[in-house]
């Protein structure tokens, strides 16, 4: 049968496989001593493995898979357990409640300072300095958190010079900010630099944090930075008064 069809196909100038598809049949291959194997006659009869591979190759399957792998995630990873570079701010919905509540409550000292000064239309150096000191302590805390993450056995971040050295940099910036007691603008700018550098470490350079923590860190850093910028703006547009002068 195969020989007959092949002869006709060659004589007509059409490919063999196209002629077989037009006839609605597939070639029968018979091997001596073995069972006859018939090729599938329609895409619906393809095995599951071939069907899934075909769906992956069609459309944007390969593009989506390559995108996840390039961002450090595995094909089956989710926002809850993803420890690669790819994350979304929506992953914050997977954050544990204690981390979520404590993280956002830590913004109260940042936000209260510019809100009080904006409500009174007065710049208080003591309040601004307290905000800057709190920001410096947060910057130092972020560096210590990375140090503690790299020390346990089996941690994705190895306790090498790169990870531990980068963990010390935020603490040094916090100490430098505290030295700027007589110049609150410079101190606030150093704190902003420390917050941004710590966020850069956690999102791009140092691996291991889950996606929900990266999303929360991004939001908290942005709010804290804008609060410090708001304080510097109030310093420029509002009159300055010290708390001791108000008491007198």
């Amino acid at each position: 049968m195969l020989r007959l069809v092949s002869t006709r196909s060659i004589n007509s100038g059409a490919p063999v496989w196209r002629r077989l598809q037009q006839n609605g049949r597939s070639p029968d291959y018979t091997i001596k001593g073995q069972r006859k194997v018939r090729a599938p006659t329609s895409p619906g009869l393809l095995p599951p493995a071939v069907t899934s591979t075909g769906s992956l190759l069609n459309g944007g399957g390969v593009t989506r898979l390559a995108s996840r792998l390039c961002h450090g995630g595995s094909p089956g990873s989710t926002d809850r357990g993803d420890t690669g570079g790819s994350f979304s701010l929506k992953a914050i919905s997977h954050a544990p409640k204690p981390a979520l509540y404590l993280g956002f409550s830590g913004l109260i000292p940042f936000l209260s300072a510019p809100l009080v000064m904006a409500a009174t239309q007065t710049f208080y150096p003591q309040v601004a300095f307290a905000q800057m000191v709190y920001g410096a302590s947060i910057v130092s805390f972020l560096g210590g958190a990375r140090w503690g993450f790299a020390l346990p056995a089996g941690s994705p971040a190895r306790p090498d010079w790169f990870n531990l050295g980068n963990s010390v940099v935020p603490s040094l910036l916090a100490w430098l900010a505290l030295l700027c007691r007589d110049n609150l603008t410079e101190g606030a700018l150093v704190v902003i630099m420390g917050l941004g550098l710590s966020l850069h470490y956690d999102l791009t350079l140092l691996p291991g944090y889950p996606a929900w923590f990266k999303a929360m860190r991004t939001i908290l850093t942005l709010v804290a930075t804008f609060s410090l910028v708001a304080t510097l703006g109030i310093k420029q547009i509002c009159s300055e008064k010290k708390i001791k002068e108000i008491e007198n």
Side-chain angles (χ1 to χ4, degrees):
M1 182 64 182
L2 178 60
R3 182 180 301 174
L4 179 59
V5 176
S6 301
T7 303
R8 292 178 180 178
S9 301
I10 294 174
N11 294 334
S12 61
V16 177
W17 183 250
R18 184 177 300 175
R19 294 285 298 176
L20 292 175
Q21 288 182 334
Q22 292 176 357
N23 294 335
R25 300 188 58 185
S26 300
D28 296 339
Y29 299 95
T30 305
I31 302 177
K32 186 176 181 180
Q34 297 184 4
R35 296 178 60 185
K36 183 181 295 185
V37 179
R38 180 183 295 274
T41 59
S42 64
L45 298 178
L46 291 176
V50 178
T51 304
S52 60
T53 305
S55 62
L56 180 63
L57 294 177
N58 291 331
V62 175
T63 304
R64 291 192 298 268
L65 178 61
S67 177
R68 293 189 66 90
L69 293 179
C70 289
H71 285 83
S74 60
S77 63
T78 59
D79 288 339
R80 184 185 296 271
D82 180 21
T83 57
S86 176
F87 77 99
S88 172
L89 293 180
K90 296 180 180 180
I92 197 173
S93 60
H94 301 305
K97 289 184 178 180
L100 200 62
Y101 294 157
L102 290 175
F104 280 92
S105 62
L107 292 176
I108 295 176
F110 278 115
L111 296 175
S112 59
L115 288 177
V116 169
M117 290 185 287
T120 58
Q121 296 294 317
T122 305
F123 176 76
Y124 301 117
Q126 293 90 339
V127 175
F129 180 75
Q131 182 195 30
M132 188 266 291
V133 171
Y134 178 75
S137 65
I138 292 298
V139 171
S140 183
F141 166 78
L142 295 175
R146 170 56 61 176
W147 184 288
F149 183 79
L151 291 182
S155 174
R158 298 180 180 180
D160 52 14
W161 285 100
F162 180 76
N163 289 330
L164 298 184
N166 287 327
S167 301
V168 174
V169 174
S171 299
L172 295 177
L173 289 177
W175 171 68
L176 182 61
L178 294 179
L179 295 179
C180 302
R181 181 182 180 90
D182 298 331
N183 194 328
L184 294 177
T185 301
E186 293 181 359
L189 291 177
V190 173
V191 171
I192 293 174
M193 185 186 305
L195 291 173
L197 187 64
S198 299
L199 181 63
H200 174 65
Y201 284 163
D202 293 340
L203 296 185
T204 59
L205 297 182
L206 305 177
Y209 285 149
W212 64 263
F213 182 77
K214 294 179 180 180
M216 186 177 68
R217 283 277 291 107
T218 302
I219 296 174
L220 296 180
T221 299
L222 290 177
V223 175
T225 300
F226 284 132
S227 68
L228 290 169
V229 173
T231 299
L232 295 179
I234 294 174
K235 183 177 184 296
Q236 298 297 325
I237 62 178
C238 295
S239 59
E240 179 178 332
K241 284 187 179 181
K242 294 184 179 180
I243 298 179
K244 293 182 179 179
E245 295 178 356
I246 298 177
E247 293 178 352
N248 295 332

